[in-house]
Amino acid sequence: MRGNSSAVRAGTAMIGALCALVACDSGGGGGGGGGGDGGETAPGTNLTGIFTQRYDTQRSGLNLRETALTPSSVTPARFGKLFACPIDGEAYAEPLVVANLVIAGGVHTVVFVATAHDSVYAFDAAANFCVPYWQTSFLGTGITPVPPSDTGESGDINKEIGIIGTPVIDPGSRTLFVAAKTRETVGVGCSGASPCYRQRLHALDLATGDEKFNGPAEISNAITVAGNGDTGDATCPAAPTRVPFCPLHENQRGSLLLLNGRVYLSWSAHGANFPYHGWLMGFSASDLRQAPTVFNDTRNGAQGGIWMSGTGPAVDDGGNIYLMTGNGIFDTAPPRANYAMSFLKLSTPGLAVLDFFTPSNQADLNAADLDLGSGGALVLPDAAGSADHPHLAIGGGKEGVLFLVDRDNLGGFSAAVNHVVQAVTVSSGSPCMICGIFSTPVYWAGHLYVVPVGDVVKQYSLANAALSATPTRSGSEVFGFPGASPVISANGSTGAILWLLDTSDNGTPNGSGSNGPAILYAYDPLTLSVLFSSPTGGAGAAGDAVKFTVPTVTFGRVYVGTQTELSVFGLR
């Protein structure tokens, strides 16, 4: 049922049943660091948890409070897969972690996993075998995930469409916010011959999985914006001067964002099936009944999906949101209502466009389906800037070009020249629909790391607002589609490790076309030598890969979402 918490309370019988399904090996853990603000701290650390995708709202990919995992400890002899917890669907969402949570009659560190089968799980994050606390499912009689074929797409989402975007946790209210998509043949106006498609924002209690804050919020075609953009589908009728949200066609792809008491969600499409737009909505985090603030990036046009390969909207110190959009309609002259193929800066909570950058060749990129927004935006720290450009952001797309932009003046649009700080081509070969950048880079200690499709991890220098024109160092291992979004763990400025997941065997036609384990890599970030790589088979392998997934590194462990399990790696 929707919002049903099946309170799997870690009884002995249940643990035994789970261990019959997966390898419940014993193993070490303990210690470590992480990002996140608020909440309680783990013993001996100032860590509170990993509450959002890529560790913080800048989408930095940095966990600089990790003490247990170091280059000397992450070796094949000492580090590997500890155990796995079975899950009921693919985990596109990044696992999230909360320290010292009062749950199941004790105080535990808990890892939360969401699946495309519309479930959210809470597991013990520090045990040496799989300990489940609860599972909440949003399904029931006549309520299922959405078959990809219903949307018209083929190969975008591998098996079923339920929860795709990474949830976000509010440690202060002890709430997990998650968006779920369902196909329903029960209820008013719904039947087997004419199913209804629903999207809802849920607020779940971290300790029980129960619904909170008057949730869930219905995200339906009742939500509209003024405009004359594309509707074109009987599933989302609207008045001539209003553009509706279409639950069937909109893909809640990006990670959720919690900012100043509001939860923000973004959407793209399933494949390129119309009608769709790039939507961003902000809901009250304390009362989901309140109407959201709404932004549509092509309200007088079409497309403009906010894809970003699962990365969520990024935020600067002033509370402004940054995101990148895909192909579609762009207004080359003001007044502008359509911002496809653009790097956007939006105000909060009003979601007004404050600034933008659109490549000078946007028309050619659009014609060739070379989305700028296939990759995610990264808000860089001031240490990367200069006196002239102290505030920077960076991101790139299918063309394989990284754009370094000034957050105080993104650059606007000129058909003649790109008014950005710098543009650097990082991909090998010619641009194509599944080439270039489908990931978010990471910046650490004066270096930027990026992994394009069909390429190796590349290290660039980035200092004084200048990115090196060529890599300063490159790895040896080739990553197929979709490349990888790197993250770094360190204890302050020491003990750094660069982590990557090879998810090319993700079962989709854009990948290898076959299913195979995700491969977890640990690199020395200075030399790009491999410290550890997980095996491609056997008990030590991760579960089968899900594209765009990002590892969560914290408390001496690495949590990897896969097609069938949460794979847990750590010190043995």
Side-chain angles (χ1 to χ4, degrees):
M1 306 329 139
R2 290 194 299 272
N4 175 51
S5 179
S6 59
V8 187
R9 304 290 183 187
T12 302
M14 177 59 71
I15 294 171
L18 288 170
C19 289
L21 295 173
V22 297
C24 291
D25 300 329
S26 61
D37 302 308
E40 298 176 90
T41 58
T45 79
N46 59 355
L47 170 64
T48 57
I50 306 300
F51 305 139
T52 193
Q53 190 249 12
R54 292 185 60 80
Y55 305 151
D56 52 39
T57 57
Q58 296 77 38
R59 310 301 177 186
S60 74
L62 297 177
N63 168 358
L64 301 183
R65 299 176 185 174
E66 175 57 55
T67 60
L69 300 179
T70 66
S72 61
S73 67
V74 178
T75 66
R78 300 182 59 189
F79 180 86
K81 186 179 180 182
L82 303 178
F83 63 90
C85 289
I87 56 178
D88 62 8
E90 296 176 303
Y92 287 85
E94 181 179 342
L96 302 176
V97 180
V98 177
N100 288 2
L101 180 66
V102 178
I103 187 172
V107 180
H108 304 276
T109 299
V110 181
V111 56
F112 298 88
V113 184
T115 74
H117 197 66
D118 280 318
S119 285
V120 179
Y121 293 83
F123 298 111
D124 195 296
N128 294 329
F129 50 88
C130 186
V131 178
Y133 292 121
W134 54 256
Q135 174 192 353
T136 291
S137 173
F138 303 120
L139 306 180
T141 301
I143 304 172
T144 67
V146 177
S149 58
D150 283 17
T151 71
E153 68 99 337
S154 176
D156 176 21
I157 302 299
N158 191 26
K159 296 179 180 178
E160 55 187 359
I161 302 166
I163 300 168
I164 305 299
T166 300
V168 68
I169 288 173
D170 180 356
S173 69
R174 299 175 185 264
T175 307
L176 181 145
F177 296 93
V178 60
K181 184 167 183 170
T182 54
R183 180 185 191 270
E184 305 186 6
T185 59
V186 295
V188 177
C190 309
S191 67
S194 181
C196 298
Y197 298 93
R198 309 290 196 199
Q199 295 201 39
R200 298 179 176 93
L201 173 62
H202 299 265
L204 303 183
D205 187 290
L206 290 180
T208 64
D210 294 335
E211 200 82 49
K212 298 176 63 175
F213 299 143
N214 300 306
E218 291 281 346
I219 309 173
S220 70
N221 62 4
I223 297 175
T224 66
V225 295
N228 55 25
D230 177 46
T231 55
D233 191 290
T235 64
C236 50
T241 60
R242 306 293 299 184
V243 178
F245 177 87
C246 298
L248 171 60
H249 295 290
E250 295 291 340
N251 180 4
Q252 202 290 293
R253 189 65 193 92
S255 302
L256 276 61
L257 166 69
L258 179 65
L259 178 65
N260 296 330
R262 300 191 73 79
V263 179
Y264 293 91
L265 298 83
S266 59
W267 284 267
S268 53
H270 295 289
N273 293 290
F274 293 84
Y276 77 90
H277 302 265
W279 294 82
L280 182 70
M281 300 185 196
F283 292 80
S284 168
S286 59
D287 186 358
L288 296 187
R289 292 175 302 184
Q290 295 185 18
T293 53
V294 180
F295 171 71
N296 180 315
D297 64 20
T298 52
R299 58 187 174 87
N300 285 344
Q303 302 177 274
I306 304 170
W307 309 89
M308 301 201 298
S309 296
T311 297
V315 181
D316 67 15
D317 290 341
N320 302 302
I321 287 177
Y322 297 82
L323 49 83
M324 300 166 68
T325 65
N327 59 289
I329 303 301
F330 171 70
D331 295 335
T332 59
R336 291 184 172 90
N338 301 306
Y339 291 93
M341 207 69 79
S342 298
F343 210 128
L344 297 180
K345 177 180 180 179
L346 303 178
S347 67
T348 59
L351 301 183
V353 176
L354 300 176
D355 200 359
F356 74 99
F357 161 69
T358 307
S360 59
N361 63 339
Q362 60 84 26
D364 294 334
L365 296 178
N366 187 46
D369 194 16
L370 298 179
D371 302 61
L372 174 65
S374 63
L378 168 64
V379 169
L380 290 162
D382 292 352
S386 66
D388 292 334
H389 303 289
H391 307 126
L392 300 171
I394 197 167
K398 294 181 183 178
E399 192 182 20
V401 176
L402 277 176
F403 290 102
L404 185 65
V405 297
D406 188 326
R407 301 198 313 264
D408 300 321
N409 181 8
L410 290 182
F413 172 73
S414 166
V417 63
N418 288 323
H419 295 291
V420 294
V421 178
Q422 197 174 0
V424 173
T425 299
V426 299
S427 296
S428 303
S430 301
C432 73
M433 287 177 57
I434 55 170
C435 301
I437 300 168
F438 283 77
S439 58
T440 304
V442 66
Y443 172 81
W444 173 79
H447 302 290
L448 188 89
Y449 301 86
V450 63
V451 188
V453 175
D455 214 327
V456 299
V457 56
K458 298 181 179 183
Q459 176 200 85
Y460 291 80
S461 66
L462 174 55
N464 296 316
L467 186 67
S468 59
T470 58
T472 53
R473 197 173 295 272
S474 297
S476 300
E477 294 70 34
V478 175
F479 291 74
F481 180 85
S485 286
V487 298
I488 284 181
S489 67
N491 182 16
S493 60
T494 64
I497 298 174
L498 175 71
W499 301 90
L500 293 168
L501 279 177
D502 183 342
T503 63
S504 56
D505 286 337
N506 55 59
T508 69
N510 290 336
S512 67
S514 61
N515 292 303
I519 311 300
L520 176 66
Y521 284 93
Y523 287 82
D524 183 313
L526 295 179
T527 65
L528 294 187
S529 59
V530 175
L531 305 172
F532 169 84
S533 62
S534 60
T536 58
D544 282 355
V546 179
K547 68 178 181 180
F548 304 135
T549 49
V550 180
T552 301
V553 185
T554 189
F555 297 124
R557 292 190 169 180
V558 182
Y559 303 93
V560 178
T562 74
Q563 293 188 25
T564 57
E565 68 179 41
L566 172 70
S567 300
V568 182
F569 292 80
L571 299 176
R572 297 185 286 219

